[in-house]
Structure formats: C-alpha cells, structure tokens
Amino acid sequence: MPKGGCRQAGADALGGPPPVPGTAQGLPDKGPRIPLTDPRLTAAYAEWSACMKEKGYSYANPADAYSDRKWGAAGTTPLAATPPPRSPDEVSTAEADIACKISLNTVGRLVAVETAYDNQYIARNADALRSFAQQLSARTQRAQAVISQDGAAG
C-alpha cells in the first residue's frame, strides 16, 4: 500500500484531493457569500414568518421550521429510500410552510437574491474562475488517464 493509502496516491496522481461536491471548497475566495442581513432576504423571511403565524406556527424562517427539534432526527435526516413516518403536526406544519412559500413567492425571491450575489461574484472573480475551471479540466483529464491505464494503482 502506498504511503498515505490509496486515497493519497489517487490525490497525488490528480494534483490534489478533489473538491467536495456541493461546497465552495476550492473556489476562488471560497465562493459567493450571501449576507443573511440583506434587506430583501429579511423582508422575505419576515413575510413568510407572518404568514406562518396566521396559520398558527411561530418560526423566524423556513430553516427554523424544517429543523424544529420536535421533529427529532426525522427533520434533519437526509432523504432515504423509505423515509420515517411523519407526525400529523409535522405534516400540517410542512403544508403551511409550502402554502406560505407559494403565496409569497418566497423561493423565487430567495433565488433572485442569491443569483444577484452569484453574478457579482462571477464578474468579480472571472479570471480566477477561468483558472479554476482549467485546473478542474486538467485534473479530470489526468483522472481519465489514470483510469484508462492497465491495472490499478494502490
């Protein structure tokens, strides 16, 4: 076994460990940042919270509703082939959440804000992002070469 194990040998062959999917790891400046204090976000959350209050629920934002401790581990468990059963209270809370999000276009508003910050980030980091994309492409080509070699290393 190579020093550091097969994982290290693979990372060395490709020029370093791969970025973690779904994260900003490796992106220039660690990716775009969206301030939670942006007035468009705070307004969207306040309106959603007021809508939920009208339906009998008290949450500051959708994440608070989703991660409410009374849902136990079920509220924070990744999707599974067979999800755990949900309580009637959790289902009614989720229904109110969706109704409020739809009536207020909460998700559309949040995506619009995120897109604006993403576009600013892309414009500000265009050269670094091009370089990052070239590095990923080169690493992908090295990975394809390693995979196509006869035999397996490590």
Side-chain angles (χ1 to χ4, degrees):
M1 179 174 292
K3 183 177 180 180
C6 292
R7 182 182 191 113
Q8 184 61 51
D12 291 346
L14 301 180
V20 177
T23 70
Q25 176 190 5
L27 282 175
D29 209 19
K30 296 187 180 170
R33 289 177 187 78
I34 300 151
L36 298 178
T37 57
D38 183 293
R40 297 166 295 181
L41 293 179
T42 57
Y45 288 143
E47 291 171 25
W48 175 90
S49 182
C51 178
M52 289 293 284
K53 181 73 102 185
E54 289 173 9
K55 296 179 181 304
Y57 302 96
S58 181
Y59 295 105
N61 58 58
D64 288 351
Y66 175 77
S67 61
D68 191 324
R69 288 187 180 268
K70 68 182 169 185
W71 311 141
T76 57
T77 302
L79 293 177
T82 306
R86 306 300 177 167
S87 71
D89 188 34
E90 185 175 7
V91 171
S92 64
T93 303
E95 290 171 346
D97 169 41
I98 296 300
C100 289
K101 285 176 180 170
I102 290 171
S103 70
L104 298 167
N105 189 27
T106 304
V107 174
R109 293 165 68 190
L110 301 178
V111 168
V113 172
E114 182 176 343
T115 299
Y117 280 103
D118 288 350
N119 288 337
Q120 289 174 2
Y121 169 80
I122 291 166
R124 198 173 51 249
N125 294 284
D127 291 338
L129 286 167
R130 265 191 292 284
S131 175
F132 180 74
Q134 290 168 347
Q135 291 170 14
L136 283 179
S137 178
R139 291 174 73 180
T140 300
Q141 290 173 0
R142 285 194 297 270
Q144 290 170 336
V146 167
I147 291 168
S148 67
Q149 289 176 349
D150 290 337

